[in-house]
Amino acid sequence: KKKKEKKEKAVACSLPFQYTSLLPKEFFMASSLLRSSLARAARALPTRSFSACSTVRSDGYAFSLTDDQKSLHELSMKFARQEIIPKAAEHDRTGEYPMEIIKKAHALGLMNAHIPAEYGGLGLGSVDSCIISENLAYGCSGISTAIGGPALAESPLIVGASEEQKKKYLGRMTEEPLIAAYCVTEPGCGSDVNGVQTTAVKKGNEWVLNGSKMWITGAGHANWFFVLARTDKNERAGAAFTGFIVDGDSKGLTVGRKEMNMGQRASDTRGVNFEDVVVPDENRIADVGYGFKLAMKAFDITRPEVAAGAVGLAQRAMDEATAYALQRKTFGRAIAQHQAVAFMIADMAMGIEAARLLTLRGAWEMDQGRRPTYYASLAKCFAAEHAMKVAVDAVQVFGGNGYNSEYPVEKLMRDCKIFSIYEGTSQIQRLIISEAIFSQAKSKSG
């Protein structure tokens, strides 16, 4: 009983400090009203900034949320606290896919929010999506990945698909809570995209796909897949691949067993096999040979959101550690009063604030219509690695209790590791960052 009480107290921790004043005491607005408000705002603004105050110069830095973003934050944090946190431990234990939570998130507009309004979405910007991602991951990053995973599959369509493809496949995602999956990684290649062996061979007005993919998020529930396949074995990576939309019920497409991973167990991860899968040419996205560029542009959209998820998990770990440090007593006083513990909390806070700002900078660049690759990689790498440090230190603050599944921080530590692996490892992010730095230095030197 005592363990249960301690666990409940730990979960009932304070919210991120900078957001506390924004949180409502009650659910202040019906979801339908919020959705319509956000949709109107999205249609009215060509870009989305995280500057909120009309008294702030539009050409300078600002660190406040717009009224719509405040509402979005309140809604997503309320959802995380009421719908995700109470059920997260059970989904982690069983690995059950959180379909009921996904349905509720979809109904509230917390899913597919970046899909343009003309295809039924809210058309929100990258900053807005990061607000949602951070808060949902605060509740559980595994459930957040299940909710937000389709965004990666949708992104190549947003940047490169035809109007007909967008209406057909993006439109259906906004009409009902469907899942789409991004199919690039294979058993023999992850970061090395040039190693992709899945092939697509043109036969008349159709393509025949053969090959295997691995670690595909949402594969067991996908209505359709974005698939990267090799269409020219002699070309370099930038021209060797083509992107396709493959319906989930296609003949010859089989999905493997659900993988039981270290963490984020609520998310569905599987292998996918293609055996003479016939895809009509109308499901080819953009030109033949343009697939690699599509896949990389998709990461520009989603990497800030992944970074935001890492920030949300880190914030949750810090809040849990802070709450516990104020309760737990050693040597006659709360461990929060011991400098060794207090400094660990301070280090957590410094990195979280820095990671959040880096994430928002990457998202803001996207919303300004500029390629955010450099800042997105900075954010994704730093946020992922700092979140891991925060989670490990949170376990340390909890001591022996932190190593026990009755307390929340061991799950946070397990969940966290994947942030430095999926959607581009931390090592790949460092390659992108360093190449950008050297390229700029060379251009300056003439």
Side-chain angles (χ1 to χ4, degrees):
K1 185 177 179 181
K2 288 182 179 179
K3 280 188 177 181
K4 185 177 180 182
E5 288 175 353
K6 287 179 181 178
K7 180 182 177 183
E8 288 174 349
K9 286 180 180 178
V11 171
C13 58
S14 60
L15 293 174
F17 302 135
Q18 73 277 20
Y19 288 152
T20 302
S21 63
L22 301 179
L23 295 177
K25 293 182 179 179
E26 298 179 0
F27 198 58
F28 63 96
M29 185 185 297
S31 63
S32 60
L33 293 177
L34 180 59
R35 283 176 64 101
S36 61
S37 172
L38 292 172
R40 286 196 300 273
R43 287 192 292 269
L45 295 174
T47 59
R48 306 284 295 172
S49 168
F50 58 95
S51 170
C53 304
S54 58
T55 56
V56 176
R57 285 170 55 89
S58 61
D59 58 347
Y61 282 107
F63 299 93
S64 50
L65 303 177
T66 66
D67 289 340
D68 287 326
Q69 289 168 341
K70 289 178 184 179
S71 297
L72 189 61
H73 164 73
E74 291 166 354
L75 174 66
S76 54
M77 181 56 84
K78 186 86 170 182
F79 185 82
R81 290 176 65 82
Q82 291 190 349
E83 299 293 340
I84 296 179
I85 290 177
K87 301 167 186 173
E90 180 65 13
H91 281 283
D92 177 65
R93 185 182 67 82
T94 64
E96 179 185 356
Y97 196 64
M99 199 64 220
E100 291 305 312
I101 297 176
I102 290 172
K103 290 177 180 178
K104 292 178 181 179
H106 186 275
L108 288 172
L110 298 177
M111 192 174 179
N112 308 315
H114 62 292
I115 291 179
E118 54 265 41
Y119 311 114
L122 293 177
L124 299 186
S126 186
V127 169
D128 306 313
S129 296
C130 285
I131 292 170
I132 296 173
S133 294
E134 179 179 337
N135 288 341
L136 297 188
Y138 185 94
C140 171
S141 61
I143 293 175
S144 175
T145 296
I147 294 170
L152 184 56
E154 294 160 357
S155 295
L157 277 68
I158 290 174
V159 300
S162 66
E163 281 298 303
E164 292 74 17
Q165 290 170 337
K166 290 177 181 178
K167 289 176 182 177
K168 181 178 180 180
Y169 289 98
L170 296 181
R172 71 172 64 167
M173 300 299 290
T174 65
E175 293 166 0
E176 55 183 310
L178 299 175
I179 302 299
Y182 182 87
C183 239
V184 173
T185 301
E186 297 188 355
C189 68
S191 299
D192 179 18
V193 178
N194 195 38
V196 165
Q197 298 299 309
T198 298
T199 61
V201 178
K202 185 80 178 292
K203 293 187 177 181
N205 203 34
E206 297 173 330
W207 295 83
V208 180
L209 274 62
N210 282 282
S212 298
K213 300 292 184 178
M214 192 59 193
W215 312 117
I216 307 305
T217 301
H221 303 268
N223 179 266
W224 55 270
F225 297 83
F226 166 78
V227 180
L228 188 70
R230 185 179 292 274
T231 48
D232 191 330
K233 63 181 181 181
N234 298 317
E235 274 285 2
R236 54 186 172 76
F241 304 104
T242 303
F244 298 91
I245 304 168
V246 181
D247 289 306
D249 60 357
S250 297
K251 184 179 179 181
L253 187 157
T254 57
V255 177
R257 65 176 176 84
K258 174 182 168 66
E259 301 292 334
M260 287 305 295
N261 296 322
M262 175 193 292
Q264 295 202 5
R265 292 174 178 168
S267 175
D268 182 84
T269 310
R270 304 176 189 241
V272 182
N273 295 312
F274 301 87
E275 186 175 353
D276 293 331
V277 175
V278 177
V279 179
D281 189 56
E282 65 188 40
N283 277 27
R284 169 177 49 82
I285 306 175
D287 295 333
V288 174
Y290 196 72
F292 180 81
K293 295 182 180 68
L294 280 175
M296 295 305 103
K297 287 183 178 181
F299 286 140
D300 283 344
I301 296 174
T302 59
R303 276 178 181 156
E305 296 177 36
V306 173
V311 172
L313 186 150
Q315 184 72 62
R316 172 73 182 281
M318 189 187 87
D319 288 351
E320 297 287 2
T322 301
Y324 186 82
L326 291 169
Q327 298 167 23
R328 171 72 169 164
K329 291 185 178 180
T330 62
F331 306 103
R333 57 180 177 172
I335 62 172
Q337 295 177 347
H338 297 304
Q339 189 179 78
V341 173
F343 279 15
M344 290 171 74
I345 302 295
D347 286 340
M348 292 178 188
M350 286 188 288
I352 289 169
E353 292 296 339
R356 183 177 286 117
L357 289 175
L358 266 178
T359 297
L360 290 175
R361 176 61 188 270
W364 182 79
E365 289 288 334
M366 186 75 188
D367 287 346
Q368 304 311 304
R370 296 189 286 265
R371 284 205 70 180
T373 307
Y374 175 71
Y375 289 104
S377 290
L378 287 173
K380 203 268 185 185
C381 187
F382 182 80
E385 295 190 353
H386 184 67
M388 192 72 237
K389 182 180 186 304
V390 172
V392 170
D393 285 350
V395 171
Q396 192 71 18
V397 170
F398 273 71
N401 289 334
Y403 197 67
N404 188 282
S405 60
E406 289 294 313
Y407 293 81
V409 288
E410 65 87 23
K411 174 183 179 298
L412 295 175
M413 189 175 80
R414 288 188 289 104
D415 286 348
C416 190
K417 182 55 191 170
I418 194 63
F419 281 107
S420 62
I421 298 175
Y422 64 10
E423 294 208 26
T425 65
S426 290
Q427 289 70 34
I428 289 296
Q429 304 314 313
R430 285 180 168 87
L431 278 176
I432 294 170
I433 294 163
S434 59
E435 286 175 1
I437 292 169
F438 291 130
S439 177
Q440 185 179 45
K442 288 176 182 178
S443 65
K444 285 182 178 179
S445 64

